[in-house]
Amino acid sequence: MTSIQDGNSTPTAAEAEKVQQLQADNLQLSQQRLALLQQNLALQRETTILHLINKLALQLNELMTEAAIYRFVAQQIAAALGFEDCAIFSCNEQEQTLQRVAAVGSRDVPEHQGIGQLKYGQGIVGLCARTKAPVLVADTRQSPHYLLDVSERLSELAVPVLDQGRLLAVIDCEQWEARFFDEHHQQILQHVASILSSRLRKLQDLAQLEQSIKKLEYAELVQKALFNIASLSYDATNFHAFYQQIHHNVNSLIYAPNFYIALYDDQEEILHFPYFADTTEHISPETIYPKEILSNSLTGYVFRSDKPLLADRQLLEEFDRTKEITAYGSPPESWLGVPFRSGDAVRGVVVVQSYEASVAYDQKDLELLTFVSHHISSALERVFVQQRLLHQALHDALTNLPNRILFIDRVNHAFKRRKRFPDKVVAVMYLDLDRFKMVNDTLGHQVGDEFLIAVGNALKSCLRQNDTLARLGGDEFAVLLEDVKTLADITEVADRIAEKLQIPLQLKQHRLQTSTSIGIAFADCLTEDIDTDELIRQADIAMYQAKQDGRGIWRLFCTEMDLETTKNYQLEQEVKTALQQQQFILHYQPIIDLATENTAGFEALIRWHHPSRGFIAPNDFIPLAEELGLMSQIDLYVVRTAVEQIQRWRFDYATEFYVSVNISGRSFSEIDFADKVLELLSTLGVPASYLAIEITERALIDKIGQAKISINNLRDAGVKVLLDDFGTGYSSLSYLHEFQLDVLKIDRTFIAGIRPRIQENPVVNTIITLAKTLHLKVIAEGIETSLQRKLLTELGCDAGQGYWFARPMPAREAVEWLK
C-alpha cells in the first residue's frame, strides 16, 4: 500500500477516478452557474425594460410641456437601455422638416452644433420620417443614408412616433460599435414611441381644449356643464336619466332642444338610439336598425368617417341631390354631429340639430360639442367595458359567434317563451365539419382558423336575424331556430346549410371544399317534457348518425339513435377497461418465404376476448377506438405485447424471424413514436431486427415530413418498415420513391382475383416489378389456393401469408409452428 505522503507515489485507479469525477462535478456546477448567470442577466434586462416602460407611463403624465416630455424620454431611453446617445426630432408635416428637440450623450449640444434640422428623406432620421417605419442600420458604413453628426457611429436605430398614422416625431439612437441594435431594441423603442404618442396626443388635446375654452365668453358656464357631465353618477338600471342629464348640460351650452345619442354595436352590427329628444320626431330606445342604415345617413357618415360633420341647409340639399347622404325624418336647417370613441373604435355619435332658420351651428359649437363628446365617452366607458367583458365571456374569440354558454342561455330563454306560447317550436341543429382535421394537418392551424371564420360567415348567410348561430368549440357549431312552425321549416334551413357548404370557400390563398354533418332535434306541442341539455344532446346524437350515414347530410333525432348511442358509450367504456385489464391478445399469422418454405416471420393481429360478450371482431371496436383517440394506447399495447413475445421466443428458434405489428396513422405521425418503440426494444433487450412496423399509405401521406423522420429512425436502428395494403390507396410513385421502406405488401383483394395465367395479372405483376425497381421485398396477403401460391412465385413475389399456409393462431400455437 502506497503512502499518500510519498511525493513520488502514483495515485491508485480509484483515487484517479475520484479526481476525474470531482472535476466533472465541478465542470457541471460551473455550467449550471453560467446558465443561472445568463438567466439572471436576461431577467435583469427584462426588469430594466419593464421599469423603463412603467416609469414612462407613470411620470409622463406629470409633465405638462412637450420640451420636458421629449427630454425625459430621451434621458430614460439612454439610461435604461445603455445607449451611447439618444435624440428626438419633432416633425413639421406642412414643411416636411424635422427639428432636434431633445438629446442626451454626445448629441447633447447647443442648437447650432451637430445636426439640428433635417428634411424628410435626409439621413436615416429623414428616411424614417418619410416612410413612417422603423429603420435599423447594423453598419452605417454600408448605408447610403447615414449622415455624420457630432462624431461617427457605426450603428443607428430610428423609430417613428405616430398618432393614428400621423407623424409626430422620430426617436433616433446611435452606438459606437456596429451591429449593436437588434429587433428587440426596435420593439422596445416602438413601445416607448406608442407611450410618447399617447402623451403628446393628450397634451395636444389639452392645449386645443384650453384654447377653445379661452375663446368662449361664457367659460364659467362651460366649465360647470362639463364638470357636471364628467362627474355624472348614474344607476346602471336607469340609463335614460343619465342621458337626460347629459342633454340638460349640453342644452345649457348650445341650442339643443333636438338632441340624440346614437350607439353602434359592431359585434351585433346594429345601430340604436338610447336617447332621442326631438320636437318633430320620436324614436324608441328599444328600436334597433341594421348596419345598412349607416351607408348613407348623416349619423352613418360620422360613424364611417370618424369625423365631426357640420352641415347647413345648403350642404344637406347638395347631399340629397347627389344621393351621397340622406337626412332621415324632418329636414333640419342646421345639423351637427360629433363621434366619440371607446378604445380603438367609434362607438357613438352625439347630435344636435335645428329646424329654425334663425339658428345655425358654427365652428365654435363644433369645438364645444367635440369636447363634450370626450366627456360623454369617458362617462360611458364603464358601460362599454362591461359590455366588452360580457361579450368576450359569451362569444368565441376566433369567429365572434356566441359560445356554448350563450347558446345554452338562449335555448333556455326559448323554452321559457314556449311555456307562454305552447305552439312555438324550439329546434336545435348540431353541426360538425367533415374532414376539418385534414385542413389543420395539411395547411396548418392558421389556415384552419381562417377556414372556420369563413364557415361561420357562410352559415350566418343561411339564417334569419333572430336565429342564433354558435361555435361550441373546435369545428362544432350549433344553430337555434325560433319561431318555426313545422318540421319542413327546420329541414329547409338544414338543406340550405348543406347546399351552401358544398360550395368551395375562397380564403386568402386557398380554395377549400367542405361539407357538414347536421343533427336536428326539436321540441313542439307533442314533445314530452324536455329541457335544454336533453335537446342539445339529442341533436348531437343525430349529428353522429349523419356522419355514420355518409357525411354532408342531416339526420333528425329518433329514439333508436339514442339506443345506439348508449350501446356505443358502453362499448367505449369497455374498450378503456380492456386496455386497463389487458383483455386484448395477439394472434400470429406466419409469413412464408415462397422460395424456401421457411417461416420468415409473423404478422401480429389484435383480438378481443370480452369477458361476457366473447369474441369481438376488430372491425367492431377499432373504428370506435380511432374516434375516441385511443389508438395510440392500443398501438403501444400491441407493440409491447409483441416485443415481449419475441423476447420469449427468440432463444428457442435457431433461425432469425421477425414479428410485424400494424400501426395506425395517428400513432405513426406522433413525434416520439419511433423513440418509444426503440426504448421498449432496449428495455427488454430485444434486437431491433426482430420487429417490423406495418403502416398504410394514408399514414405516409397525412404527415409526410414526420413519416420520413420516423421511418429513418426506425430503419437506422434495424427495425423493418412494411407498407401494408398497397394498391388500395394512393399507389403513387410520386411519393413512394421518397420513403426508404423494406417491404411492399400486396392487398388481398388483388390476390383473390388472380388469374390462371401470368399475363392475365397485370396489376400484381406491375406492383411486383415496381417493388423490385425500388429494391423492396414483396409479401402477398390472403393466399388461399395452390394456384395463387404457384403464380406468385413465378411472378417473383418473395413471401406470402394466408389460409393456404396457416390461419392466425395464439402465441402457444405459433411457437410450436416455429419449432
Side-chain angles (χ1 to χ4, degrees), residues 11-230:
T12 64
E15 291 171 339
E17 182 178 357
K18 185 179 293 184
V19 170
Q20 292 176 353
Q21 181 60 43
L22 183 58
Q23 292 174 340
D25 292 342
N26 288 336
L27 177 60
Q28 184 178 6
L29 184 59
S30 298
Q31 292 172 341
Q32 290 174 348
R33 287 175 177 171
L34 179 60
L36 288 174
L37 181 59
Q38 291 172 341
Q39 292 176 4
N40 187 43
L41 289 174
L43 184 59
Q44 289 178 357
R45 183 181 184 186
E46 292 297 326
T47 302
T48 301
I49 294 167
L50 291 174
H51 179 71
L52 166 64
I53 293 172
N54 186 54
K55 190 172 183 179
L56 288 174
L58 292 176
Q59 296 189 18
L60 278 182
N61 287 327
E62 299 176 6
L63 303 176
M64 301 307 294
T65 66
E66 288 188 0
I69 290 171
Y70 285 133
R71 180 70 180 175
F72 179 79
V73 171
Q75 289 173 340
Q76 293 303 312
I77 290 174
L81 301 178
F83 292 170
E84 305 247 356
D85 61 40
C86 178
I88 299 179
F89 294 79
S90 69
C91 78
N92 184 323
E93 284 194 321
Q94 185 175 359
E95 297 180 5
Q96 297 281 286
T97 58
L98 297 154
Q99 182 70 40
R100 187 184 67 210
V101 291
V104 295
S106 63
R107 287 194 279 182
D108 185 8
V109 294
E111 291 185 4
H112 66 277
Q113 296 181 8
I115 300 177
Q117 190 176 68
L118 292 165
K119 293 183 178 180
Y120 279 28
Q122 184 181 5
I124 292 172
V125 174
L127 176 63
C128 176
R130 189 183 66 191
T131 61
K132 295 184 180 180
V135 179
L136 194 160
V137 179
D139 192 336
T140 58
R141 292 169 297 186
Q142 300 174 5
S143 173
H145 299 284
Y146 177 70
L147 290 179
L148 178 64
D149 199 348
V150 179
S151 58
E152 185 179 14
R153 296 291 190 269
L154 296 184
S155 58
E156 185 171 355
L157 172 60
V159 172
V161 180
L162 301 173
D163 178 20
Q164 298 178 356
R166 184 170 62 92
L167 182 67
L168 302 179
V170 173
I171 301 173
D172 182 60
C173 301
E174 295 182 346
Q175 202 72 12
W176 286 108
E177 66 263 36
R179 297 174 181 83
F180 174 84
F181 299 112
D182 55 24
E183 292 184 358
H184 186 62
H185 291 126
Q186 178 179 319
Q187 291 173 358
I188 296 170
L189 288 191
Q190 286 179 290
H191 200 100
V192 170
S194 177
I195 296 173
L196 177 58
S197 169
S198 177
R199 180 57 187 143
L200 291 174
R201 181 172 63 251
K202 290 180 181 178
L203 196 63
Q204 291 172 359
D205 289 345
L206 182 60
Q208 293 173 1
L209 168 62
E210 292 174 347
Q211 185 179 8
S212 297
I213 292 179
K214 289 178 182 178
K215 294 179 180 179
L216 295 175
E217 297 178 351
Y218 45 102
E220 292 184 4
L221 182 61
V222 171
Q223 291 176 1
K224 179 180 178 181
L226 295 178
F227 176 80
N228 290 339
I229 294 174

Side-chain angles (χ1 to χ4, degrees), residues 796-815:
C797 186
D798 299 292
Q801 63 186 96
Y803 289 177
W804 174 256
F805 303 108
R807 293 173 177 268
M809 60 189 77
R812 64 179 182 278
E813 296 180 19
V815 71

Side-chain angles (χ1 to χ4, degrees), residues 400-431:
N400 203 33
L401 295 174
N403 60 16
R404 183 183 293 272
I405 297 174
L406 182 55
F407 183 76
I408 291 174
D409 180 69
R410 291 189 178 178
V411 177
N412 283 333
H413 279 291
F415 271 108
K416 290 178 181 178
R417 284 193 294 272
R418 184 169 170 262
K419 290 181 179 179
R420 299 196 305 269
F421 307 100
D423 59 326
K424 296 291 185 182
V425 175
V426 178
V428 167
M429 294 182 180
Y430 206 109
L431 292 77

